[in-house]
């Protein structure tokens, strides 16, 4: 959730232009979705539900990374301001990917080990 809060604060500093508005809407949605879907994954009622929600969380974290990269390339905000958020988005993507992979490899709830 803290990552989503930092992204929302960054969004408020984007230029008030078509480009800025487009990026603001997209990145606000993807970053807040990371937090919401991770929370939902933790409350999953089954292994399958957990995997599904972690998969969505991973996709949203990766999408947030994309929007941060686009923001830098388009020159909408300074790379100095965006780099810490970009690094964190990449780290979250790696964490959720590892979580999904580990969960898939472990024996299921109803399977014999």
């Amino acid at each position: 959730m803290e990552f989503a809060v930092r992204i929302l604060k960054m969004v408020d500093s984007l230029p008030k232009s078509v480009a800025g508005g487009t990026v603001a809407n997209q990145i606000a949605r993807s970053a807040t979705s990371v937090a919401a879907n991770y929370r939902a994954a933790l409350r999953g009622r089954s292994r399958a539900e957990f995997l599904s929600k972690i998969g969505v969380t991973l996709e949203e974290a990766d999408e947030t990374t994309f929007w941060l990269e686009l923001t830098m390339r388009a020159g909408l905000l300074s790379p100095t301001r965006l780099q810490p958020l970009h690094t964190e988005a990449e780290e979250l993507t790696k964490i959720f990917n590892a979580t999904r992979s580990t969960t898939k490899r472990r024996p299921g709830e109803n399977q014999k080990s």
Side-chain angles (χ1 to χ4, degrees):
M1 188 175 299
E2 290 303 315
F3 175 69
V5 169
R6 285 190 297 281
I7 290 287
L8 291 176
K9 289 179 180 180
M10 179 274 298
V11 162
D12 284 341
S13 64
L14 283 165
K16 307 300 181 221
S17 63
V18 173
T22 299
V23 170
N25 288 333
Q26 293 293 335
I27 199 167
R29 288 180 188 169
S30 64
T32 55
S33 183
V34 170
N37 280 291
Y38 180 65
R39 183 178 180 144
L42 294 177
R43 287 163 175 68
R45 293 168 292 196
S46 68
R47 176 188 175 107
E49 188 174 349
F50 175 80
L51 276 169
S52 176
K53 292 295 184 183
I54 281 294
V56 173
T57 305
L58 170 59
E59 290 173 14
E60 296 294 343
D62 186 54
E63 182 178 337
T64 302
T65 302
F66 167 82
W67 289 112
L68 287 165
E69 290 169 3
L70 182 65
T71 303
M72 282 189 267
R73 286 190 186 189
L76 298 174
L77 289 175
S78 75
T80 304
R81 171 120 194 236
L82 295 173
Q83 194 56 53
L85 290 169
H86 183 262
T87 299
E88 187 171 359
E90 286 183 320
E91 289 170 355
L92 288 170
T93 300
K94 290 175 185 175
I95 289 167
F96 297 130
N97 189 48
T99 300
R100 183 180 66 171
S101 296
T102 300
T103 303
K104 283 182 174 181
R105 279 195 310 271
R106 288 193 176 153
E109 297 160 347
N110 299 321
Q111 296 174 346
K112 293 180 183 176
S113 319

